[in-house]
Amino acid sequence: MSNIGSYEEKVKNFSWSTVETELGYTPGDVINIGWYCSDRICAMGKAGKTALLWENAQGEKKQYSYNDVRLYSNTVGAYLRSLGIHDGERVCLFMDRVPELYIGLLGILKIGAIAQPLFSAFGEDSLWVRLENAGTRAIITQRKHVSKVRKILDRLPELQYIIIVDHDGKRELKEKETAFFMEDEKVETLEIFPTLAETPSIIHYTSGTTGQPKGVKHVHYSLISQYLTAKWVLDLQENDIYWCTADPGWVTGTSYGIIAPWALGVTQCVLDSGFSAEAWYSFIERYKVTVWYSAPTAIRSLMKAGEEPVRRFDLSSLRHLVSVGEPLNPEAVVWSERVYGLPFHDSYWQTETGSIMISNYPGMKIKPGSMGKPFPGITGVVLNTQTYEPITEPGVIGLIAFRPGWPAMMRTYWNNEATYRNKFRNGWYLPGDRARLDADGYFWFVGRDDDVINTGGHLVSPFEVESALLEHYAVAESAVVAKPDEINMEVVKAFVALKPDYEPSAELELDIMNFIRKRLSPLAMPQEIEYVENLPKTRSGKIMRRLLHAKEWGEEIGDTSTLESD
Ligand code: 6R9
């Protein structure tokens, strides 16, 4: 029997206050995610239960009980406090998927500070923009990533501490650096900061079309949504071994890779290593994974690897599969049902929504290619693009919209209230995606309503890449668009006009690619660079990305009346 039971029944009788009661929370009380994910589970008699099974690429293994998570998150909290870090201050987590990242997040939350998880693959520019915007006070990192922080340190006056979790003493600590070992001490008691429902918990950075990345501000009350969605969509149960393949630098890796499973007292496992079909299947076999939350890019890569590796491993422990991040191709659903004997269930949400909004629920009929239906308690519709009124006829494309008010909804964009306000029309929150509804009320994703590139589930802003390209010595101008890709759905493509003294060459192309990889990240790196003499522009001088995009996707170009040279 699934946790949700009947979807229709749950929609009819829904109330968030039932979750509050289940979690022993009364409005106005202290609610602290760090405490809920560790101390409370121990107090429920599960101190000895395994919270985390961890393994890295070298085969090194670690295991932590809920009591370990409680004690070590206390250790992190106490250490940060000893440095003078207090509630409301931003502490960045900049690490590979090491245990310190997962447990550290709870430690930060326990003292009421705000956690800012960032991908360790970020280069110095991507890192700087986000640390500067958040006014981050401390960064917790690993030796291998310190050099990136050092490069930008003098441009970050508010950054006081660089906390290194694996300092080996071989190299001297430099200015602002300090060594910290989570497992050196078990701090039995830590005074939990009395965070309330609306106290900020996490800032997650996400890319938009224009401007710098936006810091999405979440609060401790988001726990209510994350707990229930994980219970009903991921169907997490007492004896599950859960594997969320997402990195906590991405919202999926925190909402459903740290908070939800631990608030439910479930055992989860983490693989700190790159992708290969064999490595993943052998991980599932070794840990007897039962619930698997992954992404379409990974699923497409697994499809490409074929059925032969599937047969070499025992995957019989699997019982429920869920996907997020991009459109899940209907073929992927059909394939997984045939090959694993289980279909992937699509789920749709965003950094801004904080928790799953639309999904295919256990027990509900899956229509391959559809995202499913809104989560109980969520009013989700498709709006007319002109009037912002809900569309009632099935099959008509419009904007996805939600009635605000669910617990995990972002509270604002950090230092950017104007952009936040602009996400609402007629009292609806607009995630910026287009979809259509069918006669049964299922949502079918159509596309984004902006130029943001979704590469393998990661959002890349063309603006950010264009800005970085301009810093390259040979680039005069550039336009960045999405290009279709079999595995990643979209990849970054750059059209580049060179400065007068430079000639196009393959060498220069590689140099530009590497420049972006180092400055931003491997994901933001253009997979292709096309040299052009001039970029198509409007009469007012704006680059017409739409034109270049249409060319890449073989689409109609549409209205070009404002094109400069027509
Ligand atoms: C959790 C997460 C959000 C954007 C979202 C949409 C796309 C996410 C999807 C999907 C089609 C799905 N997206 N899930 N598109 N089907 N099931 O992905 O957060 O990184 O903020 O991205 O990703 O465009 O608006 P985030």
Side-chain angles (χ1 to χ4, degrees):
M1 180 65 178
S2 67
N3 287 335
I4 190 167
S6 151
Y7 169 75
E8 282 75 23
E9 179 67 23
K10 291 294 187 295
V11 169
K12 236 186 279 159
N13 300 314
F14 189 83
S15 150
W16 291 110
S17 64
T18 324
V19 193
E20 294 177 349
T21 312
E22 192 169 320
L23 284 166
Y25 167 77
T26 314
D29 278 1
V30 168
I31 176 169
N32 184 288
I33 292 177
W35 181 85
Y36 265 100
C37 291
S38 56
D39 299 65
R40 177 171 179 270
I41 305 299
C42 293
M44 289 168 79
K46 297 206 265 182
K49 181 172 177 176
T50 301
L52 177 64
L53 292 158
W54 176 88
E55 197 180 305
N56 68 6
Q58 290 73 44
E60 212 183 317
K61 295 183 176 67
K62 288 183 182 175
Q63 183 168 341
Y64 298 83
S65 67
Y66 271 97
N67 199 41
D68 294 332
V69 171
R70 177 180 76 84
L71 295 169
Y72 292 141
S73 57
N74 283 352
T75 309
V76 174
Y79 180 70
L80 293 172
R81 235 180 221 158
S82 77
L83 297 178
I85 291 163
H86 59 80
D87 63 290
E89 293 188 316
R90 277 74 61 205
V91 179
C92 173
L93 294 154
F94 188 55
M95 283 175 274
D96 298 352
R97 298 178 205 189
V98 291
E100 285 84 351
L101 168 56
Y102 295 78
I103 297 170
L105 183 112
L106 302 191
I108 295 168
L109 298 180
K110 280 184 171 183
I111 64 159
I114 305 174
Q116 181 191 18
L118 293 178
F119 286 113
S120 61
F122 274 154
E124 70 241 35
D125 282 9
S126 291
L127 185 62
W128 178 78
V129 162
R130 291 159 176 82
L131 295 177
E132 200 269 340
N133 182 266
T136 309
R137 177 110 195 266
I139 183 166
I140 309 180
T141 190
Q142 291 165 282
R143 230 162 46 219
K144 64 201 262 200
H145 301 300
V146 173
S147 63
K148 295 189 269 191
V149 187
R150 280 195 192 150
K151 278 193 197 142
I152 52 175
L153 190 56
D154 57 352
R155 289 189 289 143
L156 293 168
E158 291 175 79
L159 189 67
Q160 301 282 318
Y161 299 103
I162 302 162
I163 302 162
I164 303 167
V165 297
D166 58 353
H167 184 63
D168 58 4
K170 283 194 191 137
R171 195 181 49 83
E172 266 188 41
L173 291 168
K174 293 209 174 152
E175 192 197 348
K176 298 188 176 175
E177 291 172 7
T178 119
F180 166 71
F181 300 98
M182 183 178 81
E183 292 178 38
D184 262 4
E185 194 192 352
K186 291 186 169 177
V187 174
E188 187 54 48
T189 48
L190 176 82
E191 197 190 315
I192 307 280
F193 186 85
T195 48
L196 300 174
E198 293 303 309
T199 307
S201 54
I202 294 177
I203 313 182
H204 260 299
Y205 277 78
T206 184
S207 299
T209 315
T210 55
Q212 296 295 1
K214 296 164 287 184
V216 175
K217 186 172 105 177
H218 287 291
V219 296
H220 281 264
Y221 191 59
S222 67
L223 171 73
I224 304 290
S225 291
Q226 286 147 0
Y227 174 90
L228 192 69
T229 47
K231 192 168 166 182
W232 287 357
V233 179
L234 304 177
D235 198 40
L236 293 178
Q237 300 179 9
E238 183 58 35
N239 295 321
D240 274 318
I241 305 288
Y242 168 63
W243 184 29
C244 170
T245 62
D247 188 300
W250 181 32
V251 69
T252 305
T254 42
S255 287
Y256 298 101
I258 304 179
I259 300 171
W262 283 351
L264 281 152
V266 163
T267 300
Q268 71 157 330
C269 44
V270 166
L271 177 60
D272 181 17
S273 125
F275 173 85
S276 91
E278 278 77 12
W280 277 33
Y281 290 146
S282 116
F283 188 74
I284 292 171
E285 178 183 79
R286 221 164 27 260
Y287 291 96
K288 300 194 167 40
V289 172
T290 57
V291 178
W292 187 18
Y293 197 19
S294 200
T297 302
I299 301 162
R300 287 190 292 265
S301 301
L302 292 167
M303 286 170 77
K304 203 170 175 199
E307 290 176 44
E308 189 275 326
V310 179
R311 283 194 287 272
R312 274 195 282 129
F313 297 92
D314 177 6
L315 307 180
S316 60
S317 56
L318 291 172
R319 72 166 184 88
H320 188 50
L321 318 182
V322 190
S323 165
V324 66
E326 308 155 74
L328 180 62
N329 325 51
E331 310 82 64
V333 179
V334 174
W335 184 84
S336 85
E337 178 134 44
R338 183 165 59 76
V339 174
Y340 306 131
L342 300 164
F344 264 96
H345 292 67
D346 195 10
S347 70
Y348 165 92
W349 58 292
Q350 295 189 302
T351 306
E352 286 88 340
T353 69
S355 61
I356 296 167
M357 301 303 283
I358 297 176
S359 186
N360 290 279
Y361 305 90
M364 193 173 96
K365 178 180 177 235
I366 295 183
K367 298 191 187 185
S370 157
M371 304 195 292
K373 296 188 179 189
F375 190 76
I378 301 285
T379 309
V381 293
V382 170
L383 296 183
N384 179 293
T385 52
Q386 307 299 318
T387 62
Y388 299 109
E389 292 297 331
I391 297 172
T392 44
E393 321 90 278
V396 181
I397 295 172
L399 298 167
I400 299 179
F402 301 108
R403 263 291 170 239
W406 66 95
M409 169 68 177
M410 70 163 158
R411 295 308 195 258
T412 190
Y413 289 121
W414 194 259
N415 288 336
N416 200 347
E417 182 72 16
T419 307
Y420 169 74
R421 288 219 194 94
N422 199 27
K423 299 285 286 191
F424 298 87
R425 292 287 182 286
N426 280 357
W428 295 99
Y429 167 71
L430 304 182
D433 289 312
R434 286 175 290 124
R436 56 190 169 77
L437 273 167
D438 69 16
D440 299 325
Y442 282 69
F443 280 72
W444 297 76
F445 188 81
V446 173
R448 288 193 59 98
D449 198 43
D450 58 21
D451 290 332
V452 170
I453 302 167
N454 188 335
T455 178
H458 294 276
L459 304 187
V460 173
S461 145
F463 169 83
E464 224 184 331
V465 183
E466 286 166 9
S467 310
L469 281 167
L470 285 184
E471 289 176 36
H472 187 275
Y473 61 85
V475 175
E477 246 187 344
S478 75
V480 166
V481 297
K483 171 182 137 93
D485 182 80
E486 196 194 336
I487 298 293
N488 288 304
M489 189 177 82
E490 299 183 345
V491 291
V492 176
K493 169 162 182 179
F495 291 86
V496 166
L498 296 175
K499 287 183 183 160
D501 296 342
Y502 295 91
E503 288 298 318
S505 73
E507 231 182 324
L508 184 59
E509 183 180 347
L510 266 185
D511 192 73
I512 297 173
M513 286 175 173
N514 266 321
F515 180 80
I516 300 300
R517 185 176 55 79
K518 280 208 196 121
R519 290 290 183 107
L520 299 180
S521 72
L523 285 162
M525 182 183 85
Q527 299 292 311
E528 188 186 323
I529 288 176
E530 186 172 327
Y531 295 111
V532 289
E533 286 289 324
N534 293 300
L535 293 165
K537 291 199 190 124
T538 62
R539 291 173 198 280
S540 57
K542 290 198 187 83
I543 294 172
M544 285 190 91
R545 275 205 213 98
R546 184 166 55 87
L547 221 76
L548 300 166
H549 185 274
K551 184 172 154 258
E552 291 306 310
W553 294 76
E555 290 163 357
E556 287 290 314
I557 287 171
D559 177 19
T560 56
S561 55
T562 57
L563 191 65
E564 185 186 45
S565 54
D566 62 348

